[in-house]
Amino acid sequence: MTPWSLIALLAGLASVNAENLAPKIIIAHRGASGYLPEHTLPGKALAHAMGADYLEQDLVLSQDGIPVVLHDIVIDTVTDVAKRFPERKRADGRYYALDFTLAELKQLQVTERFDPRTGKPVFPARFPLGQATFQIPTFEEELQFIQGLNRTTGREAGIYPEIKSPAWHREQRQDISRIVLQILERYGYRTKSDKVFLQCFDYQEVKRLRTELGYQGRLIQLLADPKASQAGTDFAFLTSRAGLAELAKVADGIGPSLAQVISGKSGEGFTFTDLVKTAHEFKLQVHPYTIRTDDLPSGVTSGEQLFRACLVEAGVDGVFTDQPDRGVAFLRTLVVRK
Ligand code: CA
């Protein structure tokens, strides 16, 4: 390193709040989903090998009450269900994981995400549609897989499970949270020092996990656009100072969208909302979703620019990304880590 580049580096560091350089985490969003189909075990292996700190699992139930790793309660966007079980759709034309036993779900081929109306991939440059062979993993299979990799590599990646649509599951007479907590307990994910963050969009359920169900580990309240109300959760309130103060009584952090953290661009730089600062006042960690280096917000020219905006300038504690290798590489460029 030349003296000039060292000076430039130090000058850059001096302009950054020291608190913003606290340990940061990279969360592999649905695995290394920029490279392999989301929520497949090969995608999780790749994310693990890329050095992601946490690997995400979205969880829904099968008909026989077994948590499986899938992003949606419907399965026609990532599997060949419409070809294999054409008669099993509901009146709305969709196929639901909850209408299939685990043995049936295991017969399905998982593929890169596509639009079931057009058959076209959502991200055309990603893993080719219908290529190679992938299966839906159960939550337990995935935990065994990750814990096995933790052992053989000597590097412990954490888990980041999301309970999907708990109110909808209850309407269908299934208590997904209770089942997921039993599995977490069995696999040693119990306390705030275990490498787990449990996440949910449903505020009533986040409170229930902490109180009625007695979960002792770290909890993340996911935040959506206030206009997109989910399960009666008032996101406008939760992102307010009063809401964050309430949330801090039960949760350890928040998972906002990028747009709830970055308000816009001004010239070469970004402008930010007050959300991160206010959340930190209440000791809430902030993990925004989702950095996709192959699908950047308008005006952003590189993934690294976005990692810097979130992790350094806004001072978030971690980010969800489809390209965990790029996030890990970015963090390594910072002088202080862990
Ligand atoms: Ca998720």
Side-chain angles (χ1 to χ4, degrees):
M1 183 179 284
T2 66
W4 281 115
S5 60
L6 180 63
I7 288 165
L9 180 69
L10 292 173
L13 281 180
S15 67
V16 171
N17 184 331
E19 193 184 300
N20 289 357
L21 290 175
K24 311 282 184 181
I25 60 167
I26 298 298
I27 307 148
H29 182 245
R30 311 182 200 171
S33 57
Y35 307 100
L36 280 164
E38 66 182 54
H39 289 321
T40 57
L41 293 183
K44 296 294 161 58
L46 186 57
H48 195 291
M50 285 173 163
D53 299 289
Y54 285 81
L55 312 181
E56 191 199 25
Q57 299 78 33
D58 291 306
L59 300 173
V60 305
L61 292 183
S62 69
Q63 193 175 56
D64 32 359
I66 295 162
V68 289
V69 186
L70 282 166
H71 181 262
D72 305 314
I73 54 175
V74 290
I75 50 179
D76 45 21
T77 52
V78 289
T79 73
D80 59 352
V81 66
K83 273 184 217 139
R84 272 179 194 262
F85 298 99
E87 74 289 1
R88 300 278 291 276
K89 56 177 175 260
R90 289 195 183 185
D92 63 2
R94 305 303 299 271
Y95 298 82
Y96 290 75
L98 201 58
D99 296 339
F100 294 83
T101 63
L102 180 63
E104 288 170 335
L105 291 175
K106 284 290 184 187
Q107 294 172 39
L108 302 177
Q109 292 290 327
V110 173
T111 182
E112 185 64 35
R113 176 169 287 269
F114 61 97
D115 180 338
R117 288 164 304 174
T118 63
K120 296 268 191 305
V122 174
F123 298 100
R126 290 191 178 181
F127 199 84
L129 219 61
Q131 189 156 305
T133 306
F134 305 97
Q135 247 191 357
I136 298 172
T138 68
F139 186 35
E140 281 205 70
E141 283 167 347
E142 179 151 336
L143 294 183
Q144 289 180 15
F145 187 82
I146 293 168
Q147 292 192 344
L149 276 172
N150 287 348
R151 180 186 162 120
T152 53
T153 63
R155 191 185 74 83
E156 191 187 0
I159 62 163
Y160 211 124
E162 177 181 349
I163 294 176
K164 284 285 180 185
S165 309
W168 181 86
H169 276 94
R170 251 197 313 281
E171 281 165 27
Q172 317 280 322
R173 299 166 189 275
Q174 292 276 13
D175 188 348
I176 183 170
S177 292
R178 206 177 277 278
I179 296 170
V180 167
L181 287 190
Q182 284 164 0
I183 294 174
L184 286 175
E185 168 76 23
R186 202 167 339 125
Y187 283 83
Y189 299 102
R190 302 183 185 102
T191 71
K192 294 196 186 197
S193 52
D194 297 320
K195 287 195 84 173
V196 56
F197 287 96
L198 182 61
Q199 47 168 343
C200 192
F201 274 106
D202 184 330
Y203 179 42
Q204 292 309 320
E205 198 72 5
V206 167
K207 286 191 283 191
R208 176 174 179 252
L209 283 160
R210 188 62 94 206
T211 54
E212 185 189 330
L213 300 180
Y215 175 64
Q216 305 278 310
R218 290 172 298 185
L219 259 177
I220 299 291
Q221 170 72 52
L222 292 167
L223 299 171
D225 186 317
K227 280 169 260 157
S229 143
Q230 290 195 30
T233 296
D234 182 351
F235 293 111
F237 170 69
L238 285 182
T239 48
S240 71
R241 169 170 283 276
L244 291 166
E246 277 301 303
L247 202 49
K249 294 175 187 166
V250 287
D252 301 279
I254 54 172
S257 68
L258 289 175
Q260 288 172 313
V261 170
I262 300 174
S263 50
K265 281 209 84 183
S266 81
E268 287 304 292
F270 291 94
T271 55
F272 301 97
T273 67
D274 288 335
L275 184 63
V276 179
K277 214 190 310 168
T278 313
H280 281 171
E281 279 179 42
F282 294 109
K283 307 276 183 250
L284 290 164
Q285 295 190 50
V286 184
H287 300 157
Y289 60 89
T290 302
I291 294 183
R292 297 186 170 102
T293 62
D294 58 351
D295 188 25
L296 295 166
S298 70
V300 179
T301 52
S302 75
E304 285 61 37
Q305 198 182 28
L306 203 50
F307 283 116
R308 176 169 296 280
C310 287
L311 290 160
V312 179
E313 293 164 24
V316 305
D317 308 282
V319 290
F320 287 89
T321 176
D322 289 0
Q323 284 85 11
D325 56 331
R326 301 280 291 273
V328 170
F330 173 75
L331 281 185
R332 285 195 184 127
T333 66
L334 301 180
V335 173
V336 182
R337 196 193 172 197
K338 308 226 161 140

